[in-house]
Amino acid sequence: MIRALPDLVIEPVVRMALAEDLGRAGDVTAAACIPDGARMKAVFAARKPGVLAGIRCVPLAVLALDPDASITLKLNDGDAFEAGAMLAEVEADARAFLSAERTALNLLGRLCGIASLTRAYVDAVDGTTTRIADTRKTTPGLRALEKHAVLCGGGLNHRFGLDDAILIKDNHIAVCGGLAGAIRRAKAAAGHLMKVEVEVDGLDQLDEALAEAPDVIMLDNFTLPMLREAVARTAGRVTLEASGGVNLETVRGIAETGVNVISVGALTHSAASLDIGLDAV
């Protein structure tokens, strides 16, 4: 079972989204059309198959506007489902629920889309030893939720931000005056629990990086023959991460070179929202 993302993390995002939608005057349509005190029942149902992520967004959105609402979650984050599956059932004040539904659907659809795309990548490399990881190419304000969705799909989380791991990229190397010097400075500054990763764009840089013994080397836009050679030269001394030019058509071939991790920005920056509907019952 996927470890649940704490409500403390999700709730501020949900409340921000509700505030954005309700604006200055609240839901004027619901206030005008729905009788005061009317109640309704509805179900969140999948229109397409996928993988569940962010189901807690539903009760948090609804309960924020109707604390007395009754919500039953039918599946857990990480569960796969078919088209037509019931994800959640709600009974609530009609005005409040209709005001909360779009926020709940937007977040749920977005996160299920990420989880479902991640599962497709994970399935594509099944049988290899390579793991699929995300990147920092996330929607501002939604990183924790989107990275949770990657976990729901069976992927790994790369660093969450700039503060939890050192990743030396080409521009850092340029300013430092060289790859070896950048790695040495990073290792001198890093605490004993902080890993150091360096990005290289060729086999010559790989050899230079190996001499400085970073924890991880990112192989940026390497061809398949270059990846195989990198794996052979490294011989398990460091973790190898392949990045760049990764899609569902290429990921299997990259994994079969023997790299440890493939990072895929598309998991979060290109995932389409999964079609989830709301049906009154």
Side-chain angles (χ1 to χ4, degrees):
M1 180 179 292
I2 302 297
R3 184 173 59 188
L5 195 63
D7 286 356
L8 187 66
V9 175
I10 307 171
E11 190 168 9
V13 176
V14 171
R15 288 188 174 274
M16 178 181 66
L18 286 170
E20 178 181 59
D21 214 15
L22 291 168
R24 297 166 298 175
D27 184 350
V28 295
T29 306
C33 299
I34 306 299
D36 186 29
R39 297 187 66 78
M40 68 176 293
K41 293 182 180 180
V43 297
F44 288 82
R47 301 287 188 250
K48 294 183 177 180
V51 177
L52 190 61
I55 192 61
R56 286 293 302 165
C57 294
V58 173
L60 288 173
V62 176
L63 292 171
L65 300 186
D66 178 10
D68 297 322
S70 173
I71 302 105
T72 303
L73 304 181
K74 301 296 186 179
L75 296 172
N76 297 309
D77 278 0
D79 289 345
F81 53 80
E82 298 299 325
M86 185 187 300
L87 308 180
E89 190 172 30
V90 178
E91 181 178 357
D93 176 87
R95 286 184 182 178
F97 182 60
L98 292 172
S99 298
E101 64 162 314
R102 179 44 54 192
T103 289
L105 285 168
N106 283 350
L107 290 170
L108 186 59
R110 169 72 179 153
L111 299 178
C112 287
I114 291 171
S116 302
L117 182 59
T118 301
R119 184 66 57 84
Y121 273 90
V122 170
D123 288 346
V125 302
D126 185 47
T128 73
T129 59
T130 304
R131 302 292 302 275
I132 300 296
D134 56 24
T135 70
R136 285 170 46 244
K137 296 176 181 178
T138 54
T139 308
L142 295 183
R143 179 169 294 171
L145 276 67
E146 292 182 346
K147 282 183 169 282
H148 170 72
V150 169
L151 294 179
C152 292
L156 299 175
N157 289 152
H158 209 286
R159 57 178 180 162
F160 258 76
L162 296 172
D163 61 340
D164 61 349
I166 294 175
L167 174 48
I168 304 166
K169 297 177 76 69
D170 54 354
N171 288 329
H172 299 103
I173 292 169
V175 174
C176 286
L179 182 148
I183 296 175
R184 290 170 192 164
R185 290 172 66 90
K187 291 177 70 173
H192 69 291
L193 294 179
M194 182 169 286
K195 290 191 174 184
V196 175
E197 179 174 10
V198 62
E199 177 188 87
V200 302
D201 57 16
L203 292 169
D204 289 344
Q205 273 197 325
L206 171 66
D207 291 336
E208 187 178 0
L210 284 171
E212 301 300 329
D215 299 293
V216 185
I217 297 178
M218 179 187 292
L219 309 171
D220 184 44
N221 284 297
F222 274 39
T223 65
L224 294 182
M226 290 170 66
L227 289 172
R228 285 190 284 270
E229 178 63 21
V231 171
R233 291 190 189 186
T234 303
R237 283 179 284 167
V238 300
T239 297
L240 289 179
E241 173 188 337
S243 181
V246 183
N247 56 51
L248 284 170
E249 287 68 46
T250 63
V251 70
R252 178 78 189 188
I254 295 171
E256 288 176 344
T257 67
V259 295
N260 304 104
V261 179
I262 302 173
S263 55
V264 186
L267 300 183
T268 50
H269 72 57
S270 295
S273 291
L274 197 74
D275 189 4
I276 296 172
L278 182 73
D279 300 319
V281 295

